[in-house]
Amino acid sequence: MSNLLNYTLRIADNAIILGQRMSQWCSNGPTLEEDIAMVNISLDLFGQANGFYEYASSIDGNKSVDDFAFLRSEREYFNNLIVEQKNGHFGDTIVRNFLFDAYSVLFYNKLSESKDEILAALGAKSLKEAKYHLRHSSNWLIRLGDGTEESNIKVQKSLEDIWMYTGNLFEMDDIDNELLKSGIAVDNSSLINDWDKKVNEILDKAKLNKPEDCYMQTGSKKGLHTEHLGHLLSDMQFLQRAYPNAKW
Amino acid sequence: MSENTDVWEVFIQSKNGLAHKHVGNVHATDKEMALQNARDLYTRRNEGSCIWVVKSEYIISSESEDGEAFFDPSNDKMYRHPTFYTMPDGAKNI
Amino acid sequence: MNEQYFQKRIDREEKIEPKDWMPDDYRKHLIRQISQHAHSEVIGMQPEGNWISRAPSLRSKMILLAKVQDEAGHGLYLYSACETLGVSREYLVQQLQAGKAKYSSIFNYPTLSWADMGAVGWLVDGAAIVNQVSLQRTSYGPYSRGMVKICKEESFHQRQGYEIMATMASGTPEQKQMAQDALNRFWWPSIMMFGPQDSDSPRTGNAMKWKIKRQSNDELRQKFIDQTVGQAEVIGLTIPDPDLKWNEERGHYDFGEMDWDEFWSVVNGNGPCNIQRLEHHKKAHSEGKWVREAAKAYSKKQKSIETN
């Protein structure tokens, strides 16, 4: 597989996995308005996934969007670890999304300057949506952190539990570095200062404490995931796997 | 704590230059959430370039019994309408 | 005196607005009808939500999500319209969860296969559209405007379902069988969505007099059947009614006996999903309580900061 294809799949996989997680909130939201908001976010993410998979498909020349989306094994997805974490309660979801959204905005902003025109265009389009997602998750994190004592305790725990997956967002491997040389990829490690700033700003407003530094989980770029991904994929891929010759 | 949330009326300006139009309401606990909810509910099909939200309690309405006194007097003042006047043939830009 | 004037306005096809005088029974009827319509949209998200995570293509997943999102939105428009009659949404939700308010009984059936997404979109939304198009002319202003907005959005819902059925009916033998099976299970419940036959409908009198309802149950049901039979034929599926036949004299399709025992049994709580649908709704509501409380607490804090 070419570096460019692998790199594109990483971005697409983040979108589809987080999109799948958000879609699970349908009819489960704390208010009807939030149900709509979260499904909206899910739709945006699937749209992003679709765009990046289409590019992947044209790079590959053979596989279709759905082949990429539904027919790879657990070890062939390259999304970041944080997006496959379970929804948990609403606070867990908001914390997970906030930490990822803050990264996403910075990432897409840089991607929109990529020397690869298609990635740049996709990045620019996705950036608009990512900004809205960040607004949504920031607003909620503030209200949950600075809401009741109960809500503050809950999201503080969410933060502590998921913190070990944040480091993974800023890793650079050989593929990243190779593509960075040609101005195509984003330098993830350069995003961490601005990410920290944003996180500090919102956690401060939310009256939450930033977790202590800890060992950061890793491996996503090699297709090494948490056990959650397997279950998510077996559900998502079921019909395609059960009816191999069918067109949908 | 009572579960009743504030109700906000929503007005959308669909295109720059047009007036805002009332489209319905949303429930929200504060103005930021009201704007967000209004955007998610009422502009899914690109129907908006600007959103106003106003707490329902701040909307003052005329009563329908006032109808006659409030609105009829403008009914017979036709001279406010341009079609009331006959213009000489050939006059332009008027 | 007021009643007479009110009826004159109705007869003149005037719209009744929230601040207008209206008979108590008119208000009560509307509250019940509009809120049950709203509850139906919200509960209806569950059977379809059941297949979102398993949608077999990215495109069909996005379309299904957009459809269900619309449904939530329709629920909101309708709760909004109902609130203009002087009830709070919170009260309406309490009524639903206490089993005192109903929702459309079709949603007490399970969605067992992906083909059910096709059947639901094609038949259930199809039936809803027939009903809602008629309701666009209802006498109560906010309800009528809500219906106009909903009708604009609804037509893609039916097309989405029909497209799924068409694709499967012309697919592999297993897909075709799946589609036929879904049609077999959803046909009768769908035509019974229009409610009891006119001869068995006690509330229809006032509803028609006050122009809340513009056409009768039987009229709407006939309209739906007439337009749907041809659609099934085009995609090669068979409607599970051996008595279905074009009647040249009437200019309509004759159709078989509906099983009203089954209908009432499901309405009264014995459907496959009655308990599950309400439990799901209550669970989401109670699990979200701490979130709603947090949002309120935050807003209270902000208000006291602003006034100090």
Side-chain angles (χ1 to χ4, degrees):
Chain A
M1 182 188 309
S2 74
N3 284 350
L4 183 61
L5 177 56
N6 183 302
Y7 189 72
T8 304
L9 287 177
R10 293 174 183 186
I11 307 171
D13 289 348
N14 270 344
I16 201 175
I17 299 300
L18 189 58
Q20 185 78 351
R21 282 293 186 221
M22 289 310 281
S23 72
Q24 287 163 351
W25 274 104
C26 183
S27 81
N28 291 310
T31 62
L32 203 43
E33 281 84 357
E34 263 320 293
D35 232 286
I36 292 185
M38 292 198 281
V39 166
N40 214 33
I41 290 169
S42 170
L43 263 170
D44 283 348
L45 290 164
F46 284 132
Q48 288 171 23
N50 194 54
F52 286 102
Y53 283 133
E54 273 184 350
Y55 187 39
S57 173
S58 76
I59 296 170
D60 179 80
N62 216 9
K63 296 202 174 119
S64 71
V65 165
D66 284 340
D67 288 336
F68 280 117
F70 295 94
L71 295 178
R72 284 176 292 152
S73 76
E74 298 83 348
R75 300 276 279 102
E76 291 170 310
Y77 283 81
F78 303 115
N79 55 281
N80 287 109
L81 300 173
I82 196 171
V83 298
E84 71 198 40
Q85 300 312 305
K86 287 173 134 182
N87 282 337
H89 57 63
F90 186 71
D92 294 324
T93 288
I94 290 298
V95 166
R96 175 196 67 203
N97 285 22
F98 167 69
L99 295 170
F100 180 72
D101 292 341
Y103 161 82
S104 213
V105 165
L106 296 168
F107 176 81
Y108 280 136
N109 188 36
K110 277 271 140 55
L111 190 70
S112 63
E113 295 163 5
S114 171
K115 289 246 164 66
D116 181 304
E117 280 178 7
I118 309 240
L119 285 180
L122 288 169
K125 182 164 186 276
S126 307
L127 177 61
K128 291 187 199 150
E129 293 169 348
K131 281 185 177 159
Y132 188 74
H133 300 175
L134 179 59
R135 183 175 162 171
H136 176 266
S137 55
S138 300
N139 279 338
W140 269 112
L141 190 54
I142 292 169
R143 280 151 185 76
L144 296 179
D146 191 16
T148 61
E149 197 185 326
E150 180 190 6
S151 67
N152 180 281
I153 292 174
K154 274 183 139 90
V155 289
Q156 184 65 54
K157 179 161 197 302
S158 310
L159 207 46
E160 308 286 342
D161 289 347
I162 209 168
W163 195 251
M164 62 175 160
Y165 298 113
T166 55
N168 176 232
L169 293 166
F170 305 100
E171 291 169 357
M172 293 290 280
D173 71 351
D174 290 339
I175 293 178
D176 288 310
N177 285 321
E178 199 49 51
L179 290 172
L180 179 63
K181 274 197 215 133
S182 42
I184 291 178
V186 173
D187 182 357
N188 292 324
S189 61
S190 76
L191 304 177
I192 197 161
N193 286 340
D194 285 336
W195 182 82
D196 254 330
K197 252 197 228 137
K198 186 66 178 174
V199 169
N200 289 336
E201 178 205 331
I202 301 297
L203 288 187
D204 188 62
K205 287 196 182 132
K207 310 239 168 30
L208 292 166
N209 300 321
K210 190 165 164 191
E212 298 284 331
D213 272 332
C214 64
Y215 178 78
M216 292 296 179
Q217 297 298 329
T218 180
S220 64
K221 293 184 203 277
K222 296 199 186 75
L224 294 166
H225 291 276
T226 66
E227 284 182 352
H228 301 308
L229 187 66
H231 294 285
L232 184 153
L233 291 178
S234 66
D235 182 70
M236 189 173 89
Q237 296 186 351
F238 159 69
L239 275 172
Q240 283 263 348
R241 299 281 188 188
Y243 301 94
N245 297 320
K247 289 220 181 348
W248 303 97
Chain B
M1 199 185 291
S2 137
E3 273 269 34
N4 283 4
T5 321
D6 289 333
V7 183
W8 306 67
E9 300 301 322
V10 180
F11 301 81
I12 309 271
Q13 179 194 44
S14 56
K15 241 169 50 186
N16 175 261
L18 297 178
H20 281 68
K21 204 173 105 162
H22 180 245
V23 291
N25 69 30
V26 287
H27 284 213
T29 47
D30 60 58
K31 55 192 181 202
E32 178 62 41
M33 301 307 277
L35 268 179
Q36 227 169 257
N37 291 345
R39 182 259 194 200
D40 283 334
L41 181 57
Y42 292 108
T43 66
R44 281 199 305 286
R45 286 167 165 80
N46 277 328
E47 302 106 307
S49 71
C50 177
I51 302 176
W52 290 346
V53 291
V54 184
K55 267 211 203 147
S56 302
E57 70 204 30
Y58 293 135
I59 306 265
I60 316 290
S61 165
S62 60
E63 305 291 322
S64 81
E65 300 97 72
D66 290 343
E68 283 182 17
F70 232 55
F71 297 114
D72 280 1
S74 59
N75 242 354
D76 62 356
K77 296 186 172 57
M78 298 311 292
Y79 45 78
R80 286 209 174 100
H81 295 262
T83 47
F84 180 74
Y85 301 90
T86 320
M87 295 286 98
D89 279 340
K92 293 194 186 10
N93 296 321
I94 185 164
Chain C
M1 189 36 199
N2 274 330
E3 288 253 16
Q4 283 177 11
Y5 180 60
F6 175 80
Q7 192 59 51
K8 278 213 183 76
R9 298 190 63 205
I10 297 282
D11 296 337
R12 284 200 299 254
E13 295 285 341
E14 279 177 33
K15 292 287 179 226
I16 309 297
E17 296 297 342
K19 300 226 187 272
D20 296 346
W21 186 91
M22 60 184 84
D24 223 41
D25 280 346
Y26 179 82
R27 183 188 301 273
K28 285 205 184 90
H29 187 118
L30 278 172
I31 289 175
R32 199 191 59 253
Q33 180 167 331
I34 300 175
S35 66
Q36 291 186 173
H37 198 160
H39 296 325
S40 299
E41 297 282 353
V42 173
I43 297 291
M45 293 167 69
Q46 291 183 39
E48 289 182 298
N50 187 35
W51 279 92
I52 288 172
S53 69
R54 289 175 292 175
S57 70
L58 200 44
R59 178 177 176 273
S60 66
K61 200 195 279 282
M62 289 194 280
I63 292 174
L64 181 58
L65 259 173
K67 175 180 194 282
V68 177
Q69 190 189 35
D70 268 359
E71 258 129 48
H74 295 174
L76 277 174
Y77 301 155
L78 289 163
Y79 282 130
S80 182
C82 198
E83 283 179 306
T84 62
L85 291 160
V87 283
S88 72
R89 193 203 300 179
E90 285 76 9
Y91 168 77
L92 297 173
V93 168
Q94 269 168 33
Q95 293 291 96
L96 170 68
Q97 297 191 339
K100 294 204 183 117
K102 294 211 170 312
Y103 52 89
S104 185
S105 200
I106 188 80
F107 300 122
N108 290 320
Y109 292 88
T111 48
L112 300 177
S113 75
W114 173 250
D116 290 20
M117 294 301 99
V120 166
W122 174 37
L123 303 174
V124 175
D125 283 81
I129 288 171
V130 168
N131 189 37
Q132 282 160 188
V133 163
S134 179
L135 278 173
Q136 284 179 126
R137 293 163 52 231
T138 196
S139 55
Y140 187 57
Y143 194 20
S144 161
R145 290 187 290 275
M147 285 295 107
V148 168
K149 202 170 167 63
I150 286 174
C151 282
K152 277 207 190 100
E153 300 182 350
E154 198 81 45
S155 52
F156 103 74
H157 296 186
Q158 194 186 22
R159 286 187 177 200
Q160 169 256 7
Y162 190 55
E163 187 189 74
I164 290 175
M165 293 303 255
T167 304
M168 294 184 74
S170 60
T172 67
E174 288 138 325
Q175 283 179 301
K176 182 158 186 179
Q177 188 184 23
M178 211 193 282
Q180 182 62 58
D181 174 67
L183 172 54
N184 291 347
R185 283 181 287 105
F186 275 94
W187 174 254
W188 292 102
S190 296
I191 66 172
M192 291 197 278
M193 275 173 73
F194 294 98
Q197 288 163 296
D198 294 348
S199 47
D200 291 322
S201 285
R203 284 197 255 259
T204 302
N206 269 343
M208 297 292 261
K209 179 175 106 169
W210 289 329
K211 299 195 178 171
I212 294 175
K213 201 171 164 54
R214 300 311 306 253
Q215 287 167 281
S216 78
N217 293 351
D218 288 340
E219 270 179 296
L220 294 172
R221 185 179 0 254
Q222 186 68 69
K223 184 157 188 258
F224 173 70
I225 293 176
D226 289 346
Q227 79 187 25
T228 308
V229 174
Q231 292 167 351
E233 283 167 5
V234 163
I235 59 178
L237 292 177
T238 311
I239 291 178
D241 181 359
D243 297 320
L244 194 60
K245 215 168 62 192
W246 178 253
N247 183 320
E248 191 59 51
E249 230 185 278
R250 282 201 314 130
H252 294 289
Y253 280 96
D254 288 337
F255 52 96
E257 281 287 315
M258 292 174 278
D259 185 351
W260 292 108
D261 286 338
E262 210 243 22
F263 175 79
W264 288 115
S265 173
V266 172
V267 167
N268 291 326
N270 296 321
C273 296
N274 299 54
I275 295 175
Q276 173 191 332
R277 298 289 180 234
L278 266 193
E279 284 307 304
H280 180 122
H281 192 269
K282 286 185 203 166
K283 181 167 184 271
H285 196 77
S286 81
E287 284 179 355
K289 187 158 191 264
W290 71 275
V291 175
R292 297 189 298 272
E293 283 178 353
K296 281 218 186 79
Y298 175 82
S299 118
K300 252 183 148 173
K301 285 188 215 177
Q302 297 314 297
K303 280 196 196 112
S304 64
I305 290 173
E306 273 165 28
T307 54
N308 281 348

